[in-house]
Amino acid sequence: MLTLHRARLVLADPAAPPVTDGAVLVDGAVVAAIGPFAELAGRGARVRAWDGVLVPGLVNRHGRWLLESAYHPDPREESGDRPLPPPAELTEERWGGSARRGLQRMLGHGATALTGPFDRPSVRTAVARSGLHVLPGDGASGSLDPLDGQALPAAVHRPLAVGGAADFAVFDEPGPGAGCLATVLGGRLLHRRR
């Protein structure tokens, strides 16, 4: 199925000029075309219009720490939605639940990749099922926000390219502090801000 993601600005590669009123045509899990919306419209694709900036998916460079050294509380616990020190005697099952919530929160910040490796079996399972790409990293502590004060080019997993993976995010504005409107991983919409 073809999906055309239209955005006010498309920045497929941070090193290249952006496309105003641009679009990314996705065929399954792959980018089929990138360019001005007017040139890509009318191909029988479902259109998703985003009022924001479409960028390549980001890397959360604190993945290992966030999933194996921090606890992501269940909303029913009324402990907020920020990572906390893990409770004493956290079972493997609860580590898995924490990891799934942490992964959802990473997607909510535009991450399509994170750093590992992961030692806990329940965390490895949650990461494998999420579809996020695992990259080697140092496991340093940090934020759920992949930008985490750094410039966009340093946070990008890989530029969007025709024939490449349809992994991208849409933000309401460019740069640090921007809110993530949507995250697409392998052509699937996995996060959409309500």
Side-chain angles (χ1 to χ4, degrees), residues 128-189:
R129 289 180 178 168
S130 76
L132 272 81
H133 304 279
V134 178
L135 307 174
D138 63 9
S141 63
S143 167
L144 284 165
D145 180 2
L147 290 173
D148 199 21
Q150 63 185 338
L152 180 64
V156 166
H157 176 215
R158 58 181 169 226
L160 285 175
V162 174
D167 297 343
F168 54 87
V170 183
F171 291 89
D172 52 14
E173 60 186 64
C180 183
L181 302 173
T183 305
V184 174
L185 181 59
R188 298 175 325 192
L189 180 63

Side-chain angles (χ1 to χ4, degrees), residues 14-96:
V19 178
T20 302
D21 193 18
V24 175
L25 181 64
V26 175
D27 186 1
V30 177
V31 174
I34 302 169
F37 175 74
E39 291 179 15
L40 299 179
R43 298 187 185 199
R46 171 182 58 183
V47 176
R48 289 192 184 271
W50 304 106
D51 185 26
V53 180
L54 190 150
V55 301
L58 307 178
V59 177
N60 188 307
R61 300 196 187 283
H62 312 293
R64 182 176 179 156
W65 179 83
L66 283 165
L67 300 181
E68 294 204 327
S69 298
Y71 176 70
H72 300 271
D74 187 307
R76 296 171 291 191
E77 293 175 286
E78 298 181 5
S79 298
D81 62 356
R82 309 290 306 169
L84 303 171
E89 312 225 359
L90 199 58
T91 65
E92 197 62 27
E93 181 180 343
R94 288 190 64 207
W95 270 114

